[in-house]
Amino acid sequence: MKSYRSVFWLNSASLLLVLALIIYAKFFGSSVSDLFLQPPFHRSIDVAFLTHTFQILCCVPPVVCAFTFALLSRIQPRRTENIFILYSALLTGGFLFNEIYRLHVILGIAGFPKLATISVYAIILLGYGLAFNRRIKSTPYWILLVGLGLLAFGILIDSLHLNIGAFSSLLEGFPKLFSEINIVFYFWYVCYGEIMRSLRAAYLGQSLP
């Protein structure tokens, strides 16, 4: 019965959100039909293939972290490590939201300088690193650093607006793609380890007299 209630509330909340978006698009946006506007179609599969691959990879960390947090909250709800996983899900989810909906571009059109937006993101990332410094150091954090370093390099190249043909696109795209490959591996590895440790701890706790 609980699953039926969950499905009901999930669909009800989703319906209300869609209705709110329709009302916004009707009175403040461009048009209601644009809400379901199809993305640009290309006849050749290789067009934007790596860009789409990057976006798909961006979906993995927030989903894995969110699922891991939900699982850990049921196995051992009082573990402090659960908070690290939760905030990792929020951080990577925010990056995914920005990457899909191009929030930094929208803010730029609204008059917010791109440098200011990047600075805010950097401050959030720095706060995350300082808050979970010890926890991150207990993981293979060098993988995360490699991923973040490559991402920073790709963002820097994009900000310079180099006009060197296809090479400028490769110089930006390659680092960003491989940054997300490493970030996905890092959070997959960390989440797997947290689940296994939590299961072992729960099993040993139940085995004690």
Side-chain angles (χ1 to χ4, degrees):
M1 180 62 72
K2 188 176 180 180
S3 61
Y4 290 108
R5 288 198 298 268
S6 299
V7 171
F8 172 78
W9 287 115
L10 174 63
N11 283 274
S12 298
S14 300
L15 178 61
L16 290 175
L17 178 60
V18 171
L19 290 176
L21 287 172
I22 290 174
I23 294 172
Y24 174 84
K26 176 67 176 179
F27 296 101
F28 306 102
S30 53
S31 69
V32 174
S33 60
D34 285 348
L35 288 173
F36 291 100
L37 188 67
Q38 294 292 329
F41 170 75
H42 302 281
R43 293 182 179 275
S44 180
I45 192 174
D46 63 303
V47 177
F49 182 86
L50 292 179
T51 299
H52 293 154
T53 302
F54 173 75
Q55 291 176 336
I56 291 173
L57 288 172
C58 289
C59 299
V60 178
V63 172
V64 169
C65 289
F67 177 78
T68 300
F69 173 73
L71 193 60
L72 294 177
S73 297
R74 295 298 300 271
I75 301 172
Q76 285 188 306
R78 297 181 180 179
R79 294 176 76 245
T80 57
E81 291 83 355
N82 296 4
I83 303 300
F84 168 64
I85 299 298
L86 172 62
Y87 277 88
S88 297
L90 295 174
L91 181 70
T92 55
F95 180 77
L96 170 65
F97 183 87
N98 178 78
E99 185 61 32
I100 297 298
Y101 294 102
R102 313 301 290 172
L103 183 61
H104 62 284
V105 177
I106 296 174
L107 291 174
I109 296 173
F112 292 92
K114 187 175 182 179
L115 180 60
T117 305
I118 294 175
S119 299
V120 171
Y121 291 159
I123 291 172
I124 294 174
L125 182 61
L126 180 62
Y128 167 82
L130 292 175
F132 300 105
N133 180 47
R134 290 185 179 179
R135 185 67 197 90
I136 293 174
K137 283 185 176 179
S138 67
T139 66
Y141 62 91
W142 61 270
I143 304 174
L144 182 61
L145 291 178
V146 168
L148 293 176
L150 289 170
L151 179 62
F153 181 79
I155 293 174
L156 175 62
I157 295 299
D158 179 47
S159 301
L160 293 176
H161 301 290
L162 300 177
N163 189 15
I164 48 179
F167 186 70
S168 60
S169 178
L170 293 175
L171 202 58
E172 175 195 351
F174 259 84
K176 291 180 69 175
L177 177 63
F178 280 87
S179 74
E180 199 59 33
I181 290 173
N182 284 275
I183 291 172
V184 165
F185 179 79
Y186 171 78
F187 283 111
W188 188 284
Y189 181 90
V190 168
C191 287
Y192 175 80
E194 290 297 336
I195 291 173
M196 295 305 295
R197 277 189 290 273
S198 183
L199 287 173
R200 284 195 295 266
Y203 174 76
L204 291 175
Q206 291 177 0
S207 299
L208 293 176

